[in-house]
């Protein structure tokens, strides 16, 4: 992996490889997760479908066909208390192009055109196009309620992080999106160019230097003043809160949020990841083998660590009548991990499972690109191999100590109203 400084707060990471027939280029831009999230969330919808040079779907598709059938995508997500918009392009690797075509460079230039030179109407964006993209974003936000697992998790986050930026939906709010003007989105775009922390990630056998020089020239035209992005980590012991709602459901959704006491994303990260995996990761985990399989209290039950915020989220699908038993047993299984009541086989299986999952990021250009672009806010970038070495250095006592710091913060229960929703995601 090679790193190049492009501009203040902008770097390019290249992973040279000739393992694949395709190359991948990603541009990720991070800003603080705040009240402007709705306007920023429109940007990847708008930017990845057109630009001044290719102003409509037909013109853009024609250019993608010229690039050997390249494909482009855009998205928005959050990591800690940062909102990240991204655009990615996959194309044939330069080794397979005809007549020595520099496909990767052309693809990078296309992405640059879409980000730096979007279609405009004066000093704003075209109203008709912005309205189309707003409509699509609102649909995505409102469709969240049809995915009951996702909805329940969002509600738990809103309650648990009510006084923290992490409670903000990375896609924004539907009513805020509807109220946006083209000027609001245009202003968010200009702010993004000036203030975002940016990483360009490239995977393939391409010549990187021309791409580096091209992006340096593009960013040289921008007066950069990167915004500070900080994530609040709560280390105090929480007082658990319980909230219940009802909806037409086939099964209840129980979501439990825990604080870990982590002070930053690297604090005790490897032992914590293993502790959470033994608690609620693979088939060897306590939640799967005991709560789901042995006790039949849940249709599904798993725990996930979000070390970028220092929290653990347990999600389960249950019968409403089993709510109290399920909550009690989930807490009990966590206490058993904290007491060291897991076998050496469980410990070894966890490390192997996590390690295999991490190393699998080397399997495709897309997963390699995702691994490195996900670290855009880190000063020191870790390879998958380096992270696996950290896991292998962890001992049982470190896992036990990590588990002891996991404390219940919020319980959200989504119960059935007695009717069945056809759109429910089981």
């Amino acid at each position: 992996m090679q790193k190049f400084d492009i501009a203040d707060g902008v770097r390019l990471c290249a992973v040279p490889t000739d393992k694949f027939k395709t190359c991948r280029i990603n541009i990720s831009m991070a800003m603080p997760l705040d009240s402007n999230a709705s306007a920023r969330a429109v940007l990847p919808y708008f930017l990845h479908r057109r630009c001044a040079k290719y102003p409509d779907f037909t013109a853009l598709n024609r250019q993608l066909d010229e690039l050997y059938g390249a494909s482009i995508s855009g998205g928005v997500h959050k990591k800690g208390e940062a909102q990240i918009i991204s655009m990615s392009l996959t194309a044939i690797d330069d080794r397979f192009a005809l007549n020595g075509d520099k496909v990767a460079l052309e693809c990078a230039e296309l992405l640059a055109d879409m980000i730096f030179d979007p279609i405009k109407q004066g000093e704003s964006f075209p109203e008709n196009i912005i309205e189309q993209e707003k409509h699509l974003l609102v649909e995505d936000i409102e469709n969240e309620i049809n995915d009951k697992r996702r909805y329940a998790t969002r509600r738990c986050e809103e309650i648990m992080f009510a006084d923290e930026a992490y409670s903000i939906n990375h896609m924004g709010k539907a009513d805020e999106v509807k109220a946006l003007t083209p000027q609001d989105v245009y202003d968010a775009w200009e702010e993004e160019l000036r203030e975002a922390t940016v990483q360009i990630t490239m995977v393939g056998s391409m010549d990187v230097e021309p791409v580096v020089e091209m992006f340096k020239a593009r960013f040289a035209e921008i007066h950069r003043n990167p915004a500070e992005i900080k994530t609040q980590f709560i280390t105090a012991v929480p007082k658990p809160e319980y909230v219940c709602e009802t909806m037409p459901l086939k099964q209840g959704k129980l979501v439990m949020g825990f604080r870990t006491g982590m002070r930053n994303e690297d604090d005790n990260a490897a032992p914590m990841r293993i502790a959470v995996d033994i608690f609620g990761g693979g088939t060897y985990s306590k939640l799967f083998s005991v709560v789901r399989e042995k006790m039949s209290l849940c249709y599904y039950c798993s725990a996930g660590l979000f070390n970028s915020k220092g929290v653990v989220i347990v999600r389960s699908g249950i019968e409403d009548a089993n709510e109290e038993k399920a909550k009690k047993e989930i807490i009990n299984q966590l206490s058993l991990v904290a007491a060291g009541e897991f076998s050496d086989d469980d410990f070894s299986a966890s490390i192997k499972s996590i390690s295999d999952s991490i190393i699998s990021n080397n399997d495709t250009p897309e997963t390699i690109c995702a691994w490195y672009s996900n670290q855009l806010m880190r000063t020191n970038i870790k390879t998958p191999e380096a992270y696996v070495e950290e896991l292998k250095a962890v001992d049982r006592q470190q896992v036990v100590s990590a588990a002891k710091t996991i404390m219940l913060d919020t319980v959200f229960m989504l119960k059935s109203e007695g009717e069945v929703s056809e759109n429910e995601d089981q």
Side-chain angles (χ1 to χ4, degrees):
M1 190 271 297
Q2 303 167 329
K3 289 195 298 183
F4 302 86
D5 290 328
I6 302 296
D8 188 12
V10 183
R11 70 185 176 198
L12 186 148
C13 294
V15 184
T17 177
D18 58 4
K19 288 170 54 180
F20 310 108
K21 295 180 180 179
T22 58
C23 68
R24 177 82 164 181
I25 305 174
N26 170 274
I27 300 179
S28 292
M29 310 175 77
M31 288 286 285
L33 193 59
D34 58 24
S35 58
N36 208 27
S38 296
R40 293 195 201 102
V42 177
L43 288 173
Y45 285 76
F46 171 68
L47 295 175
H48 92 273
R49 282 193 250 270
R50 64 192 64 79
C51 63
K53 194 171 182 180
Y54 307 105
D56 55 44
F57 184 77
T58 301
L60 178 59
N61 266 6
R62 187 180 298 119
Q63 177 60 15
L64 291 173
D65 287 342
E66 288 292 321
L67 294 173
Y68 298 85
S71 61
I72 193 167
S73 60
V76 57
H77 66 283
K78 72 178 177 182
K79 182 176 175 61
E81 288 169 357
Q83 181 188 30
I84 301 171
I85 68 169
S86 62
M87 292 174 61
S88 300
L89 202 153
T90 299
I92 189 172
D93 194 76
D94 282 359
R95 291 175 299 130
F96 300 99
L98 301 174
N99 305 317
D101 287 351
K102 303 297 183 183
V103 180
L105 176 58
E106 292 184 59
C107 287
E109 289 173 338
L110 174 58
L111 280 178
D113 284 339
M114 303 184 88
I115 290 172
F116 289 96
D117 194 18
I119 187 170
K120 301 176 187 176
Q121 190 168 18
E123 291 299 309
S124 185
F125 292 140
E127 183 173 3
N128 63 322
I129 297 176
I130 291 299
E131 287 301 316
Q132 291 172 17
E133 303 305 345
K134 283 168 52 180
H135 178 73
L136 292 173
L137 177 56
V138 168
E139 277 190 346
D140 284 349
I141 295 170
E142 293 181 340
N143 282 340
E144 183 180 72
I145 199 168
N146 293 328
D147 183 341
K148 298 305 187 292
R149 291 196 199 189
R150 186 176 161 201
Y151 172 79
T153 302
R154 271 294 308 148
R155 286 293 294 127
C156 184
E157 288 182 353
E158 289 173 350
I159 297 159
M160 183 171 175
F161 309 109
D163 299 322
E164 303 162 55
Y166 199 76
S167 65
I168 298 173
N169 190 331
H170 60 276
M171 293 192 297
K173 296 180 178 179
D175 58 344
E176 291 180 357
V177 174
K178 291 175 183 177
L180 290 172
T181 66
Q183 191 63 52
D184 293 330
V185 181
Y186 186 89
D187 292 344
W189 167 70
E190 287 195 317
E191 182 187 50
E192 198 86 27
L193 291 180
R194 291 192 311 267
E195 300 182 18
T197 297
V198 182
Q199 180 167 306
I200 303 140
T201 309
M202 302 182 65
V203 180
S205 67
M206 71 287 289
D207 182 5
V208 179
E209 290 295 339
V211 179
V212 170
E213 295 306 314
M214 183 271 295
F215 276 112
K216 282 184 177 180
R218 292 287 188 130
F219 275 101
E221 300 172 0
I222 307 295
H223 179 66
R224 293 278 300 163
N225 184 26
E228 184 179 25
I229 301 175
K230 282 189 173 181
T231 296
Q232 184 180 7
F233 285 78
I234 304 298
T235 57
V237 176
K239 181 180 179 181
E241 181 177 3
Y242 174 81
V243 175
C244 179
E245 293 180 4
T246 59
M247 273 188 179
L249 298 169
K250 294 178 182 177
Q251 62 179 234
K253 310 296 179 188
L254 174 65
V255 183
M256 303 173 72
F258 299 78
R259 304 277 185 176
T260 64
M262 295 174 70
R263 294 163 293 183
N264 56 65
E265 68 173 324
D266 291 324
D267 181 27
N268 210 28
M272 187 65 70
R273 176 127 186 215
I274 297 170
V276 174
D277 189 65
I278 292 172
F279 171 46
T283 55
Y284 44 79
S285 71
K286 300 288 187 181
L287 296 186
F288 184 89
S289 63
V290 179
V291 181
R292 182 185 185 275
E293 294 295 294
K294 183 177 179 180
M295 301 182 72
S296 300
L297 290 175
C298 306
Y299 296 102
Y300 63 86
C301 192
S302 64
L305 170 66
F306 298 85
N307 63 307
S308 60
K309 179 60 178 172
V311 297
V312 173
I313 303 294
V314 173
R315 303 195 303 173
S316 56
I318 64 174
E319 295 291 341
D320 292 350
N322 287 333
E323 179 187 351
E324 291 305 318
K325 290 180 182 178
K327 286 190 296 188
K328 181 178 179 181
E329 195 55 42
I330 287 168
I331 296 296
N332 180 52
Q333 293 304 319
L334 176 59
S335 68
L336 292 178
V337 178
E341 295 190 25
F342 53 89
S343 68
D344 289 340
D345 287 344
D346 292 340
F347 178 62
S348 299
S350 178
I351 293 177
K352 184 178 187 307
S353 176
I354 300 172
S355 298
D356 289 347
S357 175
I358 291 169
I359 293 299
S360 71
N361 284 287
N362 290 322
D363 289 350
T364 69
E366 289 77 13
T367 52
I368 295 173
C369 204
W371 173 268
Y372 289 103
S373 61
N374 198 41
Q375 300 183 62
L376 81 161
M377 290 179 293
R378 295 182 61 90
T379 301
N380 299 313
I381 297 177
K382 294 182 181 180
T383 65
E385 291 77 12
Y387 194 86
V388 166
E389 289 305 310
E390 291 181 11
L391 289 169
K392 291 180 177 178
V394 173
D395 60 36
R396 281 181 59 99
Q397 188 53 50
Q398 289 175 297
V399 173
V400 169
S401 298
K404 287 179 178 177
T405 68
I406 302 174
M407 300 292 174
L408 180 65
D409 184 292
T410 301
V411 177
F412 176 77
M413 180 65 194
L414 188 60
K415 289 186 175 181
S416 172
E417 290 179 346
E419 301 176 7
V420 173
S421 170
E422 293 182 359
N423 294 321
E424 182 185 357
D425 174 20
Q426 292 295 320

